[in-house]
Amino acid sequence: MRILLTALASRIIEHGHLEIEFADGTIQTFGDGSGQRIAVRFSDRRGPLDLVLNPELALGELFMDGRLEMAEGSIYDFLSLVSANAVRRKPPALMKAIRIARDAKNALLVRNGRRRALANSAHHYDLDGRLYDLFLDDDRQYTCAYFERPDMSLDEAQLAKKRHIAAKLIVEPGHRALDIGCGWGGTARFAAERYGVRVVGLTVSAEQARHAQQLCAGLDVEIRLEDYRKVAGAFDRILSVGMFEHVGYKNYATFMRVVRAHLADDGLFLLHTIGVDRRAPHTDPWIERYIFPNGKLPSARELTAAVEHRFVIEDWHNFGPDYDRTLMAWWDNFDRAWPQLEPKYGKRFQRMWKYYLMSCAGFFRSRQGQLWQLVL
């Protein structure tokens, strides 16, 4: 298995300086020696086998279980190196075969109907609310912030994002707005307080709905625990921020059809979503298993196919690099708060959350991942 792992690493790592230390103490080096030295260590002999058999899933699991450790550099540095090299290289044959099999399974099984959407949401968003209080900003914005200036704090950048959305939608007092996937209600509250907008917010997370209702109490905001496919009425403005990644590609056309049906003829719709440059029927298998079940990142072609004949694209804005900075700010907050969380969650959860945030940050740093805002 060491021979196979060596072949796999040699195929992927072309640029940079990566050292792999095996359980028997032997070390192998990969890359052209440029840049920062990054070193990882296997703590057991089976680790290389697991990694070769399913690289994308096993890498995160090995880190979570403490079987793959950083000897030099951080997990962020390592994952960024792997992501940056993966952009330039075709996947090895074994990895490609695993992806083909997984894509075929997803094509048959991943539908994200209403019942599945509820279960997927509960898996991640119905965790203890204190967790989100401690690692997100004060408004619990769980999507990419907008760093208008390099010296902005996370809270300032999340406020800038909300202002940016309002400006793009040209919101006015009295407008009726629909917030699909309203999260914990921060954007709905902002629109109602700052601009006098009447907001209906939809979420399929019971915990988010409860929090949002408390947050927006006394404002012209109605928070519903409701799937977007059941909404009724017409709206001057519709927004969906960080929810489209959970829709599922089989439902892209349905989603756009629903929005079009409920948007006033002179209305505007803002879609804020992570995107990828190439169509991929699957999401990262580790993210799918441990963080966001049945998630799917759209490509530009998939989005335009769903939009065609329904909307005019007024603006398409990409600020993907800001997600790298947002995720690292979330990790800094989580790391500082860990002593408060450790008694409940334990070491494996801490390593899982670290891998989640840093692997995603590396994904955006390598420019594999984009953050798109479309005004339709």
Side-chain angles (χ1 to χ4, degrees), residues 41-44 60-69 348 351:
R41 179 189 303 118
F42 286 101
S43 62
D44 63 72
E61 292 184 331
L62 288 167
F63 183 78
M64 283 169 60
D65 294 335
R67 298 169 59 205
L68 181 73
E69 301 172 332
R348 191 170 189 266
R351 293 177 71 89

Side-chain angles (χ1 to χ4, degrees), residues 16 23 40 50 99 126 154 158 195 206 229 235 265 299 318 324 333 350 359 374:
V40 298
D50 292 340
R99 285 179 175 176
D126 286 351
L154 178 62
Q158 291 292 15
Y195 299 99
R229 287 160 283 206
F235 298 89
D265 288 341
S299 70
N318 180 14
D324 177 11
N333 288 344
Q350 188 259 357
S359 64
L374 281 70

Side-chain angles (χ1 to χ4, degrees), residues 134-170:
L134 290 172
F135 89 89
L136 298 177
D137 64 301
D138 289 341
D139 197 36
R140 278 200 194 180
Q141 291 289 312
Y142 200 15
T143 57
C144 182
Y146 185 53
F147 290 90
E148 293 177 310
R149 303 187 317 275
D151 61 342
M152 273 185 158
S153 68
L154 178 62
D155 283 273
E156 290 170 334
Q158 291 292 15
L159 176 59
K161 176 188 68 183
K162 289 179 288 186
R163 287 198 308 261
H164 204 54
I165 290 171
K168 287 180 175 181
L169 285 173
I170 319 174

Side-chain angles (χ1 to χ4, degrees), residues 307-324:
V307 164
E308 194 170 312
H309 301 305
R310 296 187 174 96
F311 297 101
V312 173
I313 300 176
E314 301 287 2
D315 185 64
W316 192 316
H317 180 192
N318 180 14
F319 52 99
D322 284 11
Y323 225 147
D324 177 11

Side-chain angles (χ1 to χ4, degrees), residues 53-64:
L53 291 177
N54 195 345
E56 294 173 299
L57 177 63
L59 183 59
E61 292 184 331
L62 288 167
F63 183 78
M64 283 169 60

Side-chain angles (χ1 to χ4, degrees), residues 65-333:
D65 294 335
R67 298 169 59 205
L68 181 73
E69 301 172 332
M70 296 305 305
E72 183 78 24
S74 69
I75 188 64
Y76 173 68
D77 298 324
F78 172 59
L79 294 170
S80 297
L81 174 68
V82 172
S83 294
N85 276 274
V87 170
R88 306 184 184 97
R89 308 286 286 180
K90 292 182 178 179
L94 176 63
M95 193 180 295
K96 189 174 181 180
I98 292 171
R99 285 179 175 176
I100 290 171
R102 186 174 64 242
D103 292 349
K105 172 191 167 192
N106 287 348
L108 292 172
L109 300 179
V110 177
R111 297 187 182 276
N112 275 8
R114 296 177 187 178
R115 189 172 298 176
R116 176 64 64 86
L118 287 168
N120 292 341
S121 175
H123 177 87
H124 190 80
Y125 295 106
D126 286 351
L127 293 171
D128 181 1
R130 192 166 64 112
L131 169 68
Y132 295 103
D133 281 334
L134 290 172
F135 89 89
L136 298 177
D137 64 301
D138 289 341
D139 197 36
R140 278 200 194 180
Q141 291 289 312
Y142 200 15
T143 57
C144 182
Y146 185 53
F147 290 90
E148 293 177 310
R149 303 187 317 275
D151 61 342
M152 273 185 158
S153 68
L154 178 62
D155 283 273
E156 290 170 334
Q158 291 292 15
L159 176 59
K161 176 188 68 183
K162 289 179 288 186
R163 287 198 308 261
H164 204 54
I165 290 171
K168 287 180 175 181
L169 285 173
I170 319 174
V171 295
E172 297 176 358
H175 272 161
R176 190 164 188 252
L178 176 66
D179 185 353
I180 302 176
C182 65
W184 289 281
T187 302
R189 180 179 68 172
F190 177 79
E193 281 184 337
R194 184 71 64 92
Y195 299 99
V197 177
R198 297 174 294 140
V199 184
V200 173
L202 305 181
T203 178
V204 292
S205 163
E207 177 61 25
Q208 286 189 336
R210 182 195 63 78
H211 181 92
Q213 286 163 356
Q214 293 176 353
L215 185 72
C216 298
L219 298 171
D220 199 349
V221 175
E222 179 187 358
I223 302 296
R224 301 176 185 171
L225 184 61
E226 181 177 293
D227 187 275
Y228 69 92
R229 287 160 283 206
K230 296 179 66 177
V231 71
F235 298 89
D236 304 293
R237 300 291 186 265
I238 299 179
L239 62 150
S240 182
V241 182
M243 178 269 186
F244 196 72
E245 300 90 335
H246 305 291
V247 166
Y249 68 95
K250 289 180 179 291
N251 297 316
Y252 287 172
T254 298
F255 181 90
M256 294 298 177
R257 186 170 62 249
V258 169
V259 172
R260 183 66 190 89
H262 297 288
L263 185 65
D265 288 341
D266 60 349
L268 291 172
F269 167 45
L270 183 138
L271 178 67
H272 172 120
T273 181
I274 297 170
V276 289
D277 292 336
R278 303 170 192 160
R279 183 182 180 277
H282 65 280
T283 189
D284 177 273
W286 185 88
I287 292 287
E288 182 176 26
R289 175 173 293 186
Y290 293 99
I291 307 297
F292 297 119
N294 287 319
K296 163 70 173 70
L297 303 181
S299 70
R301 179 180 294 183
E302 289 170 328
L303 273 178
T304 54
V307 164
E308 194 170 312
H309 301 305
R310 296 187 174 96
F311 297 101
V312 173
I313 300 176
E314 301 287 2
D315 185 64
W316 192 316
H317 180 192
N318 180 14
F319 52 99
D322 284 11
Y323 225 147
D324 177 11
R325 186 170 174 184
T326 301
L327 285 152
M328 294 307 291
W330 288 345
W331 166 251
D332 289 341
N333 288 344

